[in-house]
């Protein structure tokens, strides 16, 4: 059987399971999580390990948190602040990192796990952004005017 057919078959099995899935049922959550792990051959940490899960506030990390907690792992959701939003002018808008962290906190509360935030702004600036800027300064950049861009289309 080709890989695509196997994935399609697995998707159909999961879809039928999902239609009957009740997230508030702890046993059903565990069974469904185990089905996902076996279907997609997901590597998991050691069973007795405490898990520090880096969470973005998005669906992928929320799903990972649900999967691990459903399988009875002790999980802590951790949000890493990597940019100093206080130096940015957002006008009347709320800082995007604050919104993402609020999503992490909400997900963790729903799953009954701890959440925390760590500040990696200086590490990110020094190890990622500054080297990027240095490499960028060594490149020759060209600017194509809008009329030229439109003519290229």
């Amino acid at each position: 059987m080709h890989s695509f057919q196997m994935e399609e078959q697995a998707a159909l099995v999961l879809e039928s399971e999902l239609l009957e899935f009740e997230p508030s049922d702890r046993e059903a959550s565990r069974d469904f999580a185990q089905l996902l792990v076996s279907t997609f051959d997901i590597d998991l940490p050691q069973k007795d390990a405490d898990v520090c899960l880096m969470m973005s506030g998005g669906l992928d990390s929320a799903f990972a948190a649900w999967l691990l907690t459903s399988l009875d792992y002790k999980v802590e959701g951790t949000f890493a602040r990597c940019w100093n939003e206080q130096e940015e002018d957002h006008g009347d808008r709320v800082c995007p990192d604050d919104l993402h962290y609020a999503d992490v906190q909400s997900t963790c509360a729903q799953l009954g796990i701890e959440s925390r935030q760590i500040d990696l702004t200086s590490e990110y600036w020094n190890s990622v952004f500054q080297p990027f800027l240095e490499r960028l300064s060594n490149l020759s950049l060209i600017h194509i005017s809008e009329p030229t861009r439109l003519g290229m289309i």
Side-chain angles (χ1 to χ4, degrees):
M1 186 178 289
H2 294 288
S3 175
F4 175 75
Q5 290 171 322
M6 290 171 49
E7 290 174 10
E8 189 175 276
Q9 187 177 20
L12 290 174
V13 169
L14 291 174
E15 182 179 9
S16 68
E17 291 288 327
L18 188 56
L19 291 174
E20 299 175 21
F21 176 64
E22 177 58 49
S24 62
D25 181 346
R26 187 87 178 116
E27 188 175 328
S29 288
R30 187 178 307 108
D31 291 345
F32 188 58
Q34 288 171 339
L35 176 65
L36 290 171
V37 168
S38 63
T39 302
F40 294 105
D41 195 28
I42 299 171
D43 290 327
L44 294 171
Q46 287 180 225
K47 193 60 182 166
D48 59 345
D50 290 347
V51 178
C52 174
L53 179 65
M54 299 304 291
M55 297 184 69
S56 65
L59 184 59
D60 293 348
S61 58
F63 173 77
W66 168 82
L67 182 76
L68 291 167
T69 56
S70 294
L71 295 172
D72 299 321
Y73 283 89
K74 183 173 184 260
V75 179
E76 178 182 271
T78 303
F79 177 80
R81 184 178 293 275
C82 294
W83 196 257
N84 188 346
E85 292 288 342
Q86 282 67 39
E87 294 179 7
E88 303 292 323
D89 180 15
H90 295 288
D92 293 337
R93 295 180 301 132
V94 176
C95 166
D97 272 356
D98 292 340
L99 296 174
H100 297 307
Y101 184 51
D103 289 338
V104 168
Q105 290 176 303
S106 174
T107 298
C108 290
Q110 289 177 37
L111 295 172
I113 63 176
E114 295 293 318
S115 64
R116 69 181 175 130
Q117 180 174 209
I118 57 175
D119 186 348
L120 298 176
T121 53
S122 64
E123 290 85 350
Y124 180 79
W125 181 266
N126 294 326
S127 299
V128 177
F129 199 68
Q130 193 63 39
F132 168 74
L133 292 177
E134 289 169 10
R135 287 186 182 153
L136 190 61
S137 69
N138 294 328
L139 296 176
S140 298
L141 299 177
I142 60 170
H143 177 265
I144 300 174
S145 66
E146 186 173 338
T148 304
R149 284 194 305 264
L150 293 174
M152 296 170 77
I153 295 177

